[in-house]
């Protein structure tokens, strides 16, 4: 069986990574690239790395035409734009993995506050399944028409914190997530502060306490705990292409807990997970580069719990996780095409 | 008046930076370079960037010979090696700024525990002045024969935390210092994990809760508070040459405190400091690159205090601060040669 | 059919890349990792990126044991070491792809002069097939027991020059190959000049007119021309992980030649080649990163021919090309596992 | 004596570097920053690295107002814009160092062809002195009202080639200049191909045979030879902030010439030059970083002459050289403020 796949908005970095990864997937045929640009680009002219491997021309975003040629569509549009297209895609019979933020926050009011816009598709907002397979019931993903692919920072933060919260090993209200990301995480749109000489040899914080991924992290951890929670999330930019590393500082709920107890909590939580590696040694971003792994390690120092979680923001943090979701939706081996 | 200056151990990065900075200093004459190597190097062959500017040959470490030609000596030897030479240098009548860790920890027992060696010069250990001019009484530096130049991480962490601790604005026992440093901070000695392809495009933690700079931070903050303190210090390596940025997470002691109160605390504390810039916008390492500044900003988010402190590890974190100390010791304008 | 594959010397960068690429190869089973280290490493401890994907322990270099478990062996030992093992591997019935330089130069005297050592396996030296599939008769590779995998610089230079020489479009004796390589090309062995702060933000030439890859380039171009040739080869180091770009300067043999003529020469020469992309736009190293492509473009400016050839030194320049050779040796689709 | 200095267009990288370097210059007072922006910026808000060192507000470009407060003005406007302001600045009595390209090409027709615009100030075009002090008669610079500061690539290429051409050591018509530059050389204006993830880990050619610096190189070498000349100039972008290295390939005019002869040619040519270092070892960009040096080395390999010339494009290639010119114009020590 071969899944026929379309991508809407393939000219961003997540689109490029979907194409690269899908080319190594034995059960996928990429049939349709759809762009909202007026001048429809050839994808290999847009990304010369694809010359000779994927020379497809982009076509208009026509849900019915897409549905004739595809079973599943990855939506790689910016937030706000995605929800303008998703209803028609679903109506045309397509299954959708949306890589934007538009269906990640189940609470419409919260979404509108965080993204400063009206949510125009509330009906599907409640139907969307949050596609973090290690966190949600995989059967829900398997049956979903619409999967909201998680944000990059939330993926690492949630996988790093969920075992501790599930096991009530930490004070849930005193968590600090110090996050650092490579610059593809900021997207392909040109901005003055992302001009090469501004970021090269640089490192620093941004959006302190005001990043849109924070409510997404809080929502998922609220599910885990069964009640609202709130972490302090502080993102930083790293002068590298790919990679997120989150250093998470917590207070243990029990003074008697040992580092080995904490390690065991992770080991148990992720015993069956193909893409989470519970590490004894300290992770870094290079050890997960170009992979769909999330590396996690935990330390107990000076009465504090320190968790390190590392992912590749383009793979487990975006396009790789989207394919992981697709594999689940189509009952394939979850790791297919991902290593 | 011109100060005659010697450098012992000029073949490391701190030595190189001393030479570069001193060449722009209008009141300094560099007279003696002393190396412990058997093959005494020419410094311009060691560092070709110096060709034509400083082509001096290194000479042996001979305290009396040095004392004949110099008023002050910068000791750039590794810890453990420095204390083997400092007594003779002092005895020869030289004033000493030691850039190693050997005289930073006033407590001999603590030093021996942290550096896993016997301290062979306890007499001078108690006489050394910790050369963080913004923290200590400058008159003590001015009169000192032996200044212990602070570590790079401690410089940023202490300058970032002192105003909050002095004013009791935070709970002193719940401080997390998340630190990240460029790779010159690890020195010039070749190591497998510092091989270019291992660190390029990389970022990750090391020595979690076990870095030797932590006791130094704790000692200085203890002076500020008037009682022992202990922070959680977690260093990370950045794929850049120079720069340290520390993101410091604290809990305010007073729920009613405002971000403006915190800002004012810093503004007052550093009102007279030429090298601390209290910033409204967020600092980063590039904005302090090649300068002796420490940039500090503070945010109050979700009931937490977040402090950002940035320095250049080679300048304010090492050689620049050493020159700042020299300027004070010789009653020169503190900023001379530093901008 | 599944090929059983062994790797000798998997703890260098070419070994790592072989493992990574082979894991995506549908017809390969990696059965044996052999190391010459006394302490036999676990490969995932050596390269944590492999944790959970390839946790094999290395075993001793025992040709008979390897032959029991493998059909083909990739030799990733340093030059000089490789030829000490290859005869026994062949005798044990294994087919060998040698990634070292030991079997690349057909002329024993030349090898000994360039590599400053006696060649201890002259018998197999003459039997080895130079594994540049775009240059040699693929049937020779298909039938070979021993394939000498080309050097990284030679791969780009030869592919960039062969069409011009075959068609006598340039003066063969006036060729300048300006080459620049990422630092994985220098291997994993730690060296002072490859310490991160020495190469980061750096760029410069080395081994001007004295690099060991030059005779290899000359040998291959001599085959193409039918007579000895000699280019001027000048390598430079780039502060990046992977990638080689060679800018090749030539004089056209015919004043009337047009840029389109030159382009057509390349287009024809590589019309059937899956891994050479003749480009109209200018190549760069990022467009071939992590791929087995060689991108080539040609310009005619001011009466000079300028050729640009770009490869990823770890893929087309080493491990990818080794797999391409393996595919040919085992009658698989040449591109299998490579995109 | 103190020179009062103004900068027009200080919000680009050359402006920033002028300010940084001038702050270390003992005989300069920076009195006026003039911007053509409608919203006149504060320079420290524009470049936070300057906070506390240079917090000046920009003022409008008003030649008379500038002339009241300054003796010399550095013009850091883009080409085409510069020549719109220079006449009025000269008329107001200011001496001008123009860092744009507008007065570099003495031939109006050539300028208009290369820069695709009408030259609106032909009168001053012929009066401008090309400010490459190592090449031109310094007395001309000393007396000049208007100095055209050389381009970055030409500075390295001309200094690398002039001794060979002056001594007729090479065939002047067969010169290839392979150039590579850090990305500040492309300016501060944001462009898609200079977005961090596009250039990081990248390297490749651009404007092959079509770069505007080529005619400038040819003009200067024509002065040296006494007749028109033409080199092949091929620029490349390096993933670093600062630095230009040019590898220059030539054919010796005399088969009997030795490498030592060539070296001597350079050594003699630059014996009195404070900013040219004729090197025995191979230069690289890091050895000239942040300095006003041009490092030059020469090799004779396989009958070819290979010259390597390295500069920092922001210093000797722009702002440092502008200050060198200023020093000459005001009869100061030429190296003042530059090391």
């Amino acid at each position: 069986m071969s899944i026929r796949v379309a991508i809407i908005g393939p000219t961003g970095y997540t689109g490029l990574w979907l194409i690269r990864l899908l080319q190594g997937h034995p059960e996928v045929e990429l049939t349709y690239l759809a762009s909202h640009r007026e001048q429809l680009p050839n994808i290999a002219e847009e990304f010369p790395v694809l010359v000779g491997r994927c020379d497809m021309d982009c076509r208009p975003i026509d849900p019915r035409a897409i549905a004739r040629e595809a079973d599943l569509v990855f939506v790689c549009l910016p937030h706000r734009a995605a929800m303008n297209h998703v209803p028609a895609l679903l109506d045309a019979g397509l299954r959708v993995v949306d890589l934007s933020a538009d269906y990640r926050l189940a609470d419409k009011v919260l979404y509108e506050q965080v993204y400063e816009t009206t949510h125009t598709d509330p009906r599907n907002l409640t139907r969307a399944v949050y596609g973090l397979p290690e966190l949600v019931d995989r059967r829900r993903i398997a049956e979903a028409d619409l999967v909201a692919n998680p944000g990059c920072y939330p993926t690492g933060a949630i996988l790093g914190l969920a075992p501790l919260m599930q096991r009530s090993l930490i004070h849930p209200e005193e968590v600090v997530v110090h996050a650092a990301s490579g610059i593809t995480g900021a997207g392909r749109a040109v901005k003055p502060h992302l001009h090469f000489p501004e970021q090269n040899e640089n490192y620093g914080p941004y959006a302190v306490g005001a990043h849109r991924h924070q409510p997404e992290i809080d929502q998922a951890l609220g599910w885990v705990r069964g009640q609202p929670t709130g972490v302090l999330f502080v993102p930083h930019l790293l002068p590298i292409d790919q990679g997120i590393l989150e250093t998470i500082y917590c207070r243990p709920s029990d003074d008697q807990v040992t580092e080995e107890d904490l390690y065991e909590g992770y080991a148990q939580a992720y015993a069956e997970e193909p893409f989470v590696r519970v590490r004894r040694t300290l992770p870094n971003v290079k050890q997960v580069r170009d992979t769909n792994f999330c590396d996690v390690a935990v330390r107990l120092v000076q009465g504090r719990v320190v968790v390190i979680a590392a992912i590749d923001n383009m793979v487990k943090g975006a396009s790789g996780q989207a394919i992981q979701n697709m594999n689940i939706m189509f009952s394939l081996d979850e790791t297919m095409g991902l290593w």
Side-chain angles (χ1 to χ4, degrees), chain A:
Chain A
M1 179 203 116
S2 187
I3 312 168
R4 300 172 307 153
V5 166
I7 300 172
I8 300 183
T11 56
Y13 290 135
T14 56
L16 172 62
W17 270 90
L18 274 173
I19 295 171
R20 294 185 81 157
L21 290 168
L22 290 173
Q23 290 199 314
H25 194 293
E27 299 291 346
V28 160
E29 186 190 358
L30 185 60
T31 58
Y32 200 115
L33 300 180
S35 169
H36 63 283
R37 294 202 197 158
E38 254 186 67
Q39 292 278 6
L40 291 167
N42 175 281
I43 198 65
E45 285 174 19
E46 192 68 24
F47 293 121
V49 71
L50 297 177
V51 169
R53 287 193 299 180
C54 180
D55 297 284
M56 294 168 76
D57 289 317
C58 288
R59 291 185 272 171
I61 305 181
D62 176 342
R64 290 199 203 164
I66 298 171
R68 277 194 294 275
E69 301 187 31
D71 307 306
L72 175 135
V73 59
F74 292 106
V75 176
C76 297
L77 297 169
H79 59 83
R80 293 187 188 120
M83 63 183 166
N84 289 333
H85 293 283
V86 166
L89 296 166
L90 292 171
D91 288 349
L94 285 154
R95 301 180 78 182
V96 176
V97 176
D98 177 29
L99 284 84
S100 88
D102 281 353
Y103 297 90
R104 292 182 194 154
L105 296 177
D107 180 342
K108 179 176 182 292
V109 174
L110 180 62
Y111 175 89
E112 296 185 339
Q113 188 182 314
V114 172
Y115 289 93
E116 298 168 329
T117 193
T118 302
H119 200 296
T120 58
D121 186 23
R123 186 174 53 96
N124 288 312
L125 188 56
T126 53
R127 293 177 55 226
V129 176
Y130 189 70
L132 189 57
E134 293 81 4
L135 187 77
V136 305
D137 185 340
R138 278 172 165 88
R139 287 170 300 188
R140 293 185 57 219
I141 297 174
E143 293 164 7
D145 286 335
L146 173 57
V147 169
N149 208 57
C152 50
Y153 285 127
T155 295
I158 297 164
L159 293 176
L161 279 165
L164 297 181
M165 292 220 174
Q166 283 159 343
R167 286 157 180 73
S168 301
L169 289 165
I170 54 170
H171 283 277
E173 295 299 348
E174 299 182 24
V175 173
V176 173
V177 178
H178 180 108
S181 174
I183 296 176
T184 52
R188 201 177 171 215
V190 170
K191 290 170 190 166
H193 75 289
L194 303 180
H195 190 50
F196 182 91
E198 301 297 315
Q199 283 306 328
N200 184 46
E201 293 287 289
N202 201 356
Y203 165 74
Y206 67 103
V208 175
H211 195 283
R212 285 164 167 168
H213 282 178
Q214 169 141 4
E216 190 182 333
I217 296 169
D218 290 343
Q219 168 185 270
L221 296 176
W223 297 334
V224 170
R225 287 184 64 207
Q227 55 177 291
T229 193
V231 304
L232 174 58
F233 175 75
V234 182
H236 297 66
L237 270 191
L238 289 169
I240 63 175
D241 279 352
Q242 295 159 239
I244 282 178
L245 188 131
E246 292 171 275
T247 313
I248 306 172
Y249 302 97
C250 321
R251 196 149 63 84
S253 51
D254 176 357
D255 283 356
Q256 305 303 312
V257 77
T258 66
E259 192 169 290
E260 194 59 24
D261 294 336
L262 298 168
Y263 177 86
E264 277 305 314
Y266 283 94
Q268 288 169 20
Y270 295 128
E272 306 299 320
E273 290 301 339
F275 290 123
V276 181
R277 301 191 293 198
V278 183
R279 304 280 309 279
R280 292 282 187 184
T281 53
L282 292 170
N284 63 42
V285 295
K286 204 146 194 177
Q287 293 176 2
V288 294
R289 175 89 177 228
D290 295 338
T291 82
N292 201 51
F293 287 118
C294 176
D295 278 8
V296 186
V298 65
R299 293 289 184 275
L300 182 65
V301 276
Q302 296 167 244
R304 295 274 183 145
V305 177
V306 181
V307 182
I308 297 105
I311 61 170
D312 186 321
N313 60 299
M314 295 312 300
V315 189
K316 183 60 177 170
S319 303
Q321 185 145 267
I323 291 170
Q324 186 182 355
N325 280 312
M326 177 197 74
N327 286 340
I328 297 170
M329 291 165 81
F330 286 83
S331 304
L332 300 172
D333 179 342
E334 192 170 326
T335 67
M336 191 175 280
L338 292 172
W339 40 288

